[in-house]
Amino acid sequence: MLKPLEGRIYCVRVSQEMKGANFYRPRGRHFSATLLFLAFTTLFFWTWEKNPFATTLWSAQEQFSFHTSEFVVDTLKRSSSDSLTPNKHVEETDSDSTSSGESKIPEKEFDASNFTNTFALQLEDRDAHRTPSSKIKDCNYSKGRWVAESRPPLYSGVECKQWLSEMWACRLTQRTDFSYEGYRWQPENCKMQEFEKSAFLRRMQDKTIAFIGDSLGRQQFQSLMCMATGGEWRADVEDVGKEYGLFKPRGAIRPNGWAYRFSNTNTTILYYWSSTLADLEPLNITDKATDVAMHLDRAPAFMRQFLHHFDVLVLNTGHHWNRGKITANHWVMYVNGKPLDDRRLMAVGNAKNLTVHSVARWLDSQLPSHPRLRAFFRTISPRHFRNGDWNTGGNCDNTTPLTGGSGVSQDESSDPVIAAAVKGTNITLLDITALSDLRDEGHISRYSVKATAGVNDCLHWCLPGIPETWNELLVAQI
């Protein structure tokens, strides 16, 4: 029998235990509800996975991944004589360099036999349902306008003698009007940061920028060298051309390329001359007068050999694609390692189409194994000969800026060949054609260091000048 005090303690304990029981009962309910929820969720997703609608929804996510498009060359609607003939394009004065040697990098070669047999293939765009990369970005760098600029040029054409060819430094010529220097390009939907040489070199620390193309590519290369140095003499810039096999071939006017390294940041900027981007291989290396195999379906050996060195690659071609140049250089068109016998492909415009698409496809196939590489394909630089051509008295005497307008409003490129070649690839289109076309006053024109009468250069640009804009657009997209 309990005593009164013990009875009170016992009642308190019983009361506390009963309260504890009441406390744990709701948690048990929660646990049961959780189990039911998990079971329901599992059943739901199992049903969802079996549902055709779910499969359709998941596959739609693939629309936002970009894949390499099938290689194809658009059938030209005009004859080769209307597209690229000697009197329609300027003859450049570049030396004729040749390249040979095997690639040290495994590569995927393009089999052009199907193309040769079915030349009239139209573009079968597997990526038509995918969102183009150009529509993902709000900024269209090629669409905008030229605006007056009060700042001086990024370098002096008089002082940048270490990198700049004398013939392109218009301030060393008899020209007295330099109003073409007073404008900058403003894209429509974005603002570009002002180029600053020290910041640029810091961004490019331990990186290599390579330009491969014709003399317009060399202008862009020299422009960037002058921009990066401010046009000042730099003792810390080392000539590293030997590392890339760049030298002056016997009998050539100039080297087949240049390479310079900024020792403070380990930044290398180089240029390699490849006017058509087709691989050139002399058929007899012991005979200077031998024919040269022009492999339309093979990227230049230099690019194949040194691609793993590059962090930024800029390609260009265009003005050497004419019958006069091909004949004068003893270039013989080859496809699949054999002389070309398809007359339709021998038409210069079609041969260019095949080469441009082939190089773009090869490069795109290499990008997955070179994840740090940013590849650009620059569109053609416009020429402005009037009242004749380069060899028939043509000129570009206009010195008033923007007489043809100041803006570009079109969405499509003015170079459809290059634009089609990079479509569906991870190569970026560096579209400079339309914006440069508005600047006819910026060419070398009739001015030269030696004042040669009757000679007009309406293809190359005064430096500093329009190519600085090309490089500003390049840097903005790196």
Side-chain angles (χ1 to χ4, degrees):
M1 191 168 183
L2 295 174
K3 296 181 180 179
L5 180 59
E6 292 175 344
R8 283 195 216 93
I9 295 174
Y10 176 79
C11 290
V12 170
R13 287 177 179 172
V14 171
S15 175
Q16 289 176 344
E17 289 174 1
M18 291 179 66
K19 290 179 179 179
N22 291 333
F23 174 75
Y24 284 106
R25 188 174 294 114
R27 295 186 62 183
R29 293 196 192 99
H30 289 164
F31 181 72
S32 299
T34 302
L35 287 176
L36 288 173
F37 175 76
L38 290 175
F40 174 78
T41 303
T42 302
L43 180 62
F44 172 78
F45 278 107
W46 179 83
T47 305
W48 179 272
E49 188 176 46
K50 298 297 183 180
N51 192 331
F53 172 74
T55 304
T56 303
L57 181 62
W58 288 334
S59 64
Q61 296 175 2
E62 296 177 1
Q63 296 178 10
F64 298 93
S65 62
F66 300 99
H67 304 275
T68 304
S69 63
E70 291 293 337
F71 170 77
V72 54
V73 175
D74 295 330
T75 303
L76 297 182
K77 295 183 180 180
R78 53 185 179 177
S79 67
S80 60
S81 60
D82 291 333
S83 58
L84 292 172
T85 53
N87 67 338
K88 286 290 184 77
H89 285 272
V90 173
E91 302 283 349
E92 295 181 358
T93 57
D94 286 345
S95 59
D96 299 328
S97 63
T98 58
S99 56
S100 60
E102 297 299 325
S103 171
K104 297 181 179 179
I105 305 173
E107 59 189 80
K108 299 178 181 178
E109 293 291 350
F110 166 60
D111 181 3
S113 58
N114 290 335
F115 173 82
T116 305
N117 296 332
T118 56
F119 172 71
L121 285 176
Q122 297 295 323
L123 180 62
E124 181 181 351
D125 191 2
R126 295 183 308 172
D127 302 315
H129 65 286
R130 297 187 175 95
T131 304
S133 58
S134 60
K135 292 186 178 181
I136 294 177
K137 301 176 182 179
D138 292 331
C139 180
N140 184 346
Y141 289 93
S142 62
K143 188 176 180 180
R145 61 192 179 94
W146 290 100
V147 297
E149 175 63 87
S150 59
R151 71 175 184 178
L154 295 171
Y155 61 90
S156 167
V158 175
E159 297 177 358
C160 191
K161 297 179 180 179
Q162 191 175 2
W163 326 111
L164 179 57
S165 295
E166 187 179 57
M167 61 183 176
W168 293 336
C170 285
R171 285 189 174 269
L172 297 179
T173 68
Q174 301 80 29
R175 183 163 183 159
T176 58
D177 182 273
F178 304 101
S179 57
Y180 62 87
E181 295 180 350
Y183 293 85
R184 64 179 174 84
W185 178 252
Q186 176 58 58
E188 184 177 85
N189 298 319
C190 64
K191 294 183 179 179
M192 294 189 300
Q193 290 186 348
E194 188 171 311
F195 182 90
E196 200 282 314
K197 58 185 180 181
S198 298
F200 167 73
L201 289 173
R202 285 195 300 270
R203 285 179 58 191
M204 295 296 105
Q205 184 165 352
D206 300 321
K207 291 179 171 55
T208 297
I209 304 173
F211 295 91
I212 299 179
D214 57 24
S215 62
L216 277 304
R218 189 168 83 247
Q219 282 211 301
Q220 189 174 0
F221 156 75
Q222 291 191 3
S223 168
L224 187 59
M225 285 298 302
C226 289
M227 291 168 67
T229 60
E232 301 173 354
W233 182 271
R234 292 280 294 262
D236 63 325
V237 180
E238 177 187 4
D239 185 341
V240 293
K242 290 183 178 180
E243 294 183 16
Y244 296 90
L246 301 176
F247 61 96
K248 183 178 179 180
R250 181 179 299 179
I253 300 175
R254 57 184 64 87
N256 56 2
W258 295 264
Y260 297 104
R261 181 169 297 140
F262 293 76
S263 58
N264 290 341
T265 59
N266 192 35
T267 303
T268 302
I269 303 177
L270 69 85
Y271 163 79
Y272 178 75
W273 186 88
S274 179
S275 62
T276 63
L277 298 181
D279 190 31
L280 301 177
E281 184 179 28
L283 298 179
N284 184 354
I285 60 175
T286 62
D287 183 6
K288 297 180 183 178
T290 187
D291 286 340
V292 177
M294 182 184 186
H295 296 280
L296 304 181
D297 55 345
R298 186 191 300 175
F302 177 85
M303 179 160 58
R304 303 198 315 267
Q305 181 179 354
F306 294 104
L307 189 67
H308 63 289
H309 285 278
F310 305 154
D311 298 277
V312 178
L313 173 61
V314 184
L315 303 178
N316 91 282
T317 187
H319 293 290
H320 272 255
W321 284 99
N322 64 69
R323 184 58 60 186
K325 270 292 182 182
I326 292 174
T327 301
N329 291 326
H330 302 286
W331 291 340
V332 180
M333 296 181 184
Y334 271 56
V335 171
N336 286 326
K338 297 179 294 186
L340 184 61
D341 57 4
D342 189 322
R343 286 190 170 275
R344 292 167 295 179
L345 274 180
M346 288 180 181
V348 177
N350 299 337
K352 174 189 173 184
N353 235 3
L354 171 58
T355 300
V356 167
H357 281 80
S358 181
V359 169
R361 186 192 182 194
W362 175 84
L363 178 57
D364 188 58
S365 73
Q366 301 301 306
L367 292 180
S369 58
H370 300 80
R372 64 187 176 89
L373 174 62
R374 287 294 310 277
F376 295 83
F377 212 135
R378 205 202 73 214
T379 59
I380 194 169
S381 173
R383 53 202 294 282
H384 292 93
F385 285 95
R386 296 184 178 89
N387 302 318
D389 216 294
W390 68 276
N391 56 353
T392 58
N395 65 72
C396 45
D397 288 338
N398 176 45
T399 57
T400 304
L402 305 175
T403 55
S406 62
V408 174
S409 58
Q410 65 192 44
D411 292 315
E412 69 281 358
S413 174
S414 292
D415 188 344
V417 174
I418 304 300
V422 303
K423 181 181 179 181
T425 73
N426 288 308
I427 302 171
T428 301
L429 185 70
L430 185 57
D431 195 354
I432 56 86
T433 304
L435 64 91
S436 302
D437 196 36
L438 297 172
R439 302 303 309 277
D440 62 312
E441 87 287 1
H443 288 293
I444 305 294
S445 188
R446 66 178 185 274
Y447 305 102
S448 63
V449 177
K450 298 180 181 180
T452 305
V455 176
N456 275 263
D457 186 348
C458 303
L459 172 66
H460 298 100
W461 304 89
C462 289
L463 293 178
I466 309 306
E468 276 73 73
T469 297
W470 305 350
N471 282 323
E472 288 178 312
L473 297 182
L474 171 66
V475 172
Q477 296 178 77
I478 294 177

